[in-house]
Amino acid sequence: MIKSIIQSILDSDLYKLTMQQTVFHQYPNAKVKYIFKLRNDGVNLAFLRDAIVEELSNWDKLFLTSQEASFLRGLGFFQEDYIEYLAQYRFDPSLVNVFVDRGGNLQIKIEGPWLDTILYEVPLLAIINELYFRETSNLPEIQAEGSKRLLEKVEMLKKHPRLMLAEFGTRRRYSREWQEYVFGVLNDLPNVVGTSNVRLAMDNDTKPIGTMAHEYLCAHLGLVDNLGTAQKRALHVWLQEYGTNLGVALTDTFTTPAFFKDFGHVLANAFSGVRHDSGDPIKFGIDTIAHYESLGIDPRTKTIVFSDGLDIPEAIRIFETFTGLIGISFGVGTNLTNDLGPKALNIVIKLIECDDTYCVKLSDNPGKAIGNAKQIDNVREIYGAK
């Protein structure tokens, strides 16, 4: 057993693997760049630099086991050529540059083939979190508080047995050990439908949950001749790869109004639903129902997955608002896997370039826009985003 935080290549979110398979088949030669962002004020992570590098040095020992390969085959949407590729895949730590800049801040840059680098984000964020909390808190001292909070959430969920929820907390978990404990408790509830973490799903004999992330749609800015066709192209390629499987489309990459303009009758019929990840969830639900109705599609045949920084009371509020109007489910992350008392880190690793084109994410919260400033303005204008 590898003596490091990440002990399995599948200790990651499902959408990383589903996107990697799409890249493997559709864009094997694409080149990309990612950067790390810390959004917490008053926090400096520079002291973690050497420990992060040490963790990374063990990653080239990770490989897909035969048991893990069998699990992926059993899911039904991974193709054999991709599973064979993944069995040969090895992380290359040299593709990751971890350093402290002149201002004394931790910086991480990842650069290389998209096919090779796409799996780095989630485990990197997980190790940064775990290393940080090892240094700034003590699990035995706060575990009782964490367990108390978890059990309060369990009791709330028991009172709403029709509220379907998946655990989405790998990237910002307190630790691998804590995520395993949390999901072990949640997995006993009939309304918890799975986890985004593939290895955790395998170990608990449940479903891994996920489809695509923002980077998938962002990257298409560098994969099309006309930036205005990037989102629609990404969605159609997804259908080519998965058909009616994995049919939840992410909506806010270039803002939700821009998404609905592209999400016409063909796409709206083909995808089983959409995912909300920024902006007012109630407004989003109302607008989504109206969009389906405008296309002559019964919203009750479709699903919204709400996943924007949720806690259980907020999920219940949304559930009570839309039950009976449209299918709804929830992905809850940090509030499940990192709610023990200490303030959680708000850290991300974002795609910034694909094939020498700046990649940007607008979202429905203007303050969360990420990317080159001129390209943000350019994409806003092209997609009619405010």
Side-chain angles (χ1 to χ4, degrees), residues 132-333:
Y132 173 77
F133 288 110
R134 279 182 188 175
E135 294 296 324
T136 60
S137 64
N138 188 312
L139 181 58
E141 293 177 358
I142 61 176
Q143 188 164 357
E145 177 63 22
S147 296
K148 174 177 171 290
R149 295 184 183 193
L150 177 61
L151 291 177
E152 289 172 352
K153 294 163 192 170
V154 166
E155 291 305 311
M156 284 188 275
L157 290 171
K158 286 180 178 179
K159 293 176 181 177
H160 296 83
R162 294 170 55 212
L163 189 159
M164 298 294 108
L165 175 146
E167 180 269 304
F168 275 15
T170 302
R171 294 181 306 149
R172 294 174 184 165
R173 66 193 184 193
Y174 179 87
S175 69
R176 177 170 54 83
E177 175 187 4
W178 185 250
Q179 185 185 22
E180 291 171 352
Y181 168 73
V182 167
F183 189 69
V185 173
L186 293 173
N187 198 36
D188 288 335
L189 297 175
N191 48 338
V192 173
V193 297
T195 171
S196 62
N197 188 293
V198 185
R199 179 68 199 207
L200 201 52
M202 187 185 87
D203 290 343
N204 286 273
D205 192 27
T206 190
K207 288 171 50 178
I209 307 293
T211 56
M212 66 185 72
H214 292 103
E215 75 169 278
Y216 173 72
L217 293 108
C218 291
H220 279 76
L221 294 171
L223 300 170
V224 295
D225 293 327
N226 181 343
L227 296 184
T229 66
Q231 181 165 241
K232 187 172 283 190
R233 166 69 177 166
L235 295 172
H236 278 287
V237 167
W238 194 264
L239 290 180
Q240 291 171 19
E241 188 70 23
Y242 294 108
T244 57
N245 291 317
L246 303 177
V248 176
L250 185 56
T251 57
D252 66 333
T253 305
F254 307 127
T255 74
T256 293
F259 172 83
F260 284 140
K261 288 178 184 177
D262 284 342
F263 202 58
H265 200 274
V266 171
L267 289 171
N269 262 319
F271 279 87
S272 60
V274 296
R275 179 157 72 92
H276 170 264
D277 202 50
S278 65
D280 182 349
I282 303 301
K283 181 180 185 304
F284 177 85
I286 293 169
D287 291 347
T288 299
I289 290 169
H291 183 70
Y292 280 126
E293 289 177 339
S294 74
L295 298 172
I297 298 171
D298 185 348
R300 293 170 298 180
T301 66
K302 300 296 180 179
T303 297
I304 301 175
V305 179
F306 291 92
S307 63
D308 181 28
L310 296 175
D311 58 22
I312 303 304
E314 175 67 354
I316 292 170
R317 181 179 79 96
I318 297 168
F319 171 78
E320 291 176 340
T321 301
F322 293 111
T323 293
L325 302 178
I326 191 169
I328 48 177
S329 65
F330 300 90
V332 181

Side-chain angles (χ1 to χ4, degrees), residues 44 77 168 229 375:
N44 189 306
F77 45 78
F168 275 15
T229 66
Q375 185 76 321

